[in-house]
Amino acid sequence: MLVFAVGGQEFALPLGGIVEIARARTPTPVPGAEPGVLGIVPFRGAMVTVIDGRLRLGLSGAPMGRAGSMIVLRDSGELVGLVVDAVARVALIHPAEREPLPAALRLARTDLFLGVVPRRDGGYLFLLDAGAVLRPAP
Amino acid sequence: MADGGRGERERLERDFLAEAEEIFDALADALRSLEEGLGSGPPRRPLVNSIFREVHSLKGLAGLQGHQGIADLAHALEDLLDRLRLGRADLSAAVLELLHETFDALQSEVRALGGPRSAARVHGVLEERLRAAAAGADVPAGREVSPAPLGIDPRVVAALSEYEERRLAEVIGNGGVILLVRLRLGPRDFDVRLREIVGRIESRGEVICTVPVLEKGDETDLHFTLLVTSDGGAEGLVHLLQGAPATVEAVASPGAGSAGAKMLPPDEGREEARGVSDSLRVPVARLDDVLAQVADLSIALAAVGRSARSLCQTHPVDRQARELDRLVRELVPRVRALQRSTIETRLVPVERIFGRIGRMVARAARSAGKEVEFHTLGGETELDKAMMDGVASPLVQLLRNALDHGIEPPDEREKAGKPRRGRLVLSAFQKGRSAIIDVSDDGRGISIERVRAAAQAAGLVPAGAALSEAETRDLIFSPGFSTAARVSQDSGRGVGLDVVRRSIRRLKGTIVVRWLQGKGTTFTIALPTTLVLVQALIVRACGQRFAIPIGAVRESLRLESARLRRSGSEEIYDHPRGPLPLMRLASLMRPDQEGSMAESKYAVVAGPPDRPVGIIVDGFVGQQEVVIKPIGQRLADLPGLAGATDLGDATAVLVLDPEGLIAGGSRERPLP
């Protein structure tokens, strides 16, 4: 899984749907876009819909600007870019390491997560469901 | 057998299916030409020859693939065609009907092969009749068992072909179950969904016939009645059709008599079947990938070009730098040509849909009890594959309207001094970078006074409003007009036309209507040949660039401030040709904010000729050919946007669709 950081937290996405990791560029806003969608940028001859990782993952703080990386994912024939603060590493996560979401966390959207992996420092690595991340909040 | 062998066999089977579809396309057209020539002497020999050749290749291909049933039936058909072309058998209406039935049987058999399980079908009777016809005997009539007593809707019975009636009788005779499936499908994607549902039924049975039914009162959706035999019985079928907007009724079963009808709730939002073409050998998605790669290449080349140019400027005397710049410049038109030809591979002749639509219209006419002849012209006109898929439904809707409301019943026509048979014409031609499609009928036309009265009754226009004739005609496309079913029926037309116009707009096309009262009606649809590559005007506004397709631009204006004025909330420019309403792109980009009244310097005039609108821009950047790329589904399907493009600097530029922009900005009501 690809591990990346957004708003001081660590998240992981399955490598399967990831097309490429690119530098985030200023997107062109599109009117009428759903919340969390920053706009579009051209990418390899197509258009990528750019999603603000911080907003989408329910983290507070200012919306992301142009800094950071864009994780380009393929979603039913379309390309979607998730803007994150930084891409950290690729990690192999054994199913046995995975734990259910701790209820105490009180997350805005529990449907985004497949589970967590506890870290030594007491924090969690959040395992994301790629499909759910690409859908807006219900 | 080894895996490689199986893969190979599957590939061959896929090739066969694709090739068979092409043969069916050709046969459908040829049969129609045959029909048109019927009654005016013996059939043209080249035509019969071409049908013979197509059937012959189908026979050969089916034989190679081991589909003996198809090969046998094709063989019997070939024999008959052979005698027809040698003049040893006559082409009567009955023989023609037999050719149609055989064609239907072959096609449904081949299509069933693509499904998970192919139902074994017996074509013995059909083969016998073909042989009898080839021998010059009268084609025996097949109406021995009438399905009417089964309680099947007489309109459906009227539309059954002889083959279908016979097949029905056979199934009942063998103690089989006949089930009636009623479908109600939205006009936008009915063909895809119908195919999907038939596929589901055929996984456990056989669809004996599919009849489009005109439902009074429902003028938007399309209704179909399917007669089906299924080994799972009514319950199995109900289960199979879960989630589809269908009802299942048993009309004949061995013991139980007619079982109770069971209603299934319609379920929208199901996964859409993919609209991959039947006979385009390359998956469209792969073509799009190639297109995206070529676009990527041309953008990379543009970057190289910029570097070479700046190298040239910093080292003006360096011969190598100049040489590099020249070489790159020469590459640009070549890559552009490559891009253009890649886009052109997406173009397909409209013949493809004309043939399919023609067969549907013939059926619908039979079930509506109207006599019509259907002609097509300009089938070679080319359209983008995606456009083709989108335009089929609106065309069917327009033809259905013409059948239902335009063409009068035979007796009424006779009284009006017209031939009993009505005439429907579907024609297409290329006009620059557009394809024009006309749908004409010689029916009763529309009464302009009645349209006006109906629109007033529906509250679309205030009483006593002075509307031009063009504006009045335009009213029949209003959503309110079509929902007032009774009113619009009185006025002769206007049903579901709002849906048609929306579909056409979605394809960035336009539709207008003309009519002559008592003489007929013509709808003219203009569509861009492709939505992918267009010449565009690049403008600046609200701090960003926009591309506007040149075809939509009537005029570019430099605004003189003395001619600007306000009228209520509207800005008006006193153009020498008349007052021109202005609109700002800021209201599209940030609809929540009132656009600042910055200085207006320039405007791009677009919109229909009788109601142009000026779009205020800050400046013109230039004109160039752009490749329009779709913007993702996540971004609202905004009527004013055609897509986005990359001008070579890695920034997305929105491509505007002025028609949609203007329509969206006007008082058009949102959908209920």
Side-chain angles (χ1 to χ4, degrees), chain B residues 402-432:
Chain B
L403 264 179
D404 207 9
H405 304 291
I407 305 253
E408 314 89 330
D411 292 341
E412 195 182 320
R413 290 181 64 87
E414 213 158 39
K415 258 182 245 154
K418 298 189 201 178
R420 284 180 68 84
R421 290 185 90 178
R423 230 173 113 87
L424 278 176
V425 183
L426 190 55
S427 62
F429 63 95
Q430 214 99 35
K431 187 179 169 193

Side-chain angles (χ1 to χ4, degrees), chain A residues 25 28-34 37 40-42 44-47 49 51 75 78 80 134, chain B residues 292 296 544 588-589 629-636 638 641 644-646 650-652 654:
Chain A
R25 279 175 290 156
T28 301
V30 176
E34 64 187 43
V37 171
I40 50 177
V41 292
R44 302 247 172 279
M47 289 290 160
T49 305
I51 294 179
D75 176 38
E78 265 177 49
V80 181
L134 299 180
Chain B
D296 195 28
Q544 65 188 83
L588 166 80
M589 295 305 292
K629 289 157 195 159
I631 48 182
Q633 289 165 3
R634 268 167 199 77
L635 301 167
L638 221 70
L641 283 187
T645 189
D646 182 350
T651 305
L654 298 179

Side-chain angles (χ1 to χ4, degrees), chain B residues 390-455:
Chain B
V391 78
S393 299
L395 287 180
V396 169
Q397 180 85 359
L398 287 175
L399 287 165
R400 197 183 77 151
N401 272 358
L403 264 179
D404 207 9
H405 304 291
I407 305 253
E408 314 89 330
D411 292 341
E412 195 182 320
R413 290 181 64 87
E414 213 158 39
K415 258 182 245 154
K418 298 189 201 178
R420 284 180 68 84
R421 290 185 90 178
R423 230 173 113 87
L424 278 176
V425 183
L426 190 55
S427 62
F429 63 95
Q430 214 99 35
K431 187 179 169 193
R433 290 217 185 143
S434 300
I436 313 291
I437 304 179
D438 279 339
V439 179
S440 317
D441 67 61
D442 67 345
R444 51 171 80 98
I446 307 173
S447 147
I448 196 111
E449 286 75 31
R450 280 187 171 177
V451 169
R452 204 167 283 156

Side-chain angles (χ1 to χ4, degrees), chain B residues 89-109:
Chain B
D90 289 333
L91 181 72
S92 61
V95 169
L96 190 62
E97 181 61 25
L98 182 58
L99 294 182
H100 272 295
E101 283 175 39
T102 315
F103 173 83
D104 284 342
L106 284 169
Q107 195 169 31
S108 66
E109 184 109 343

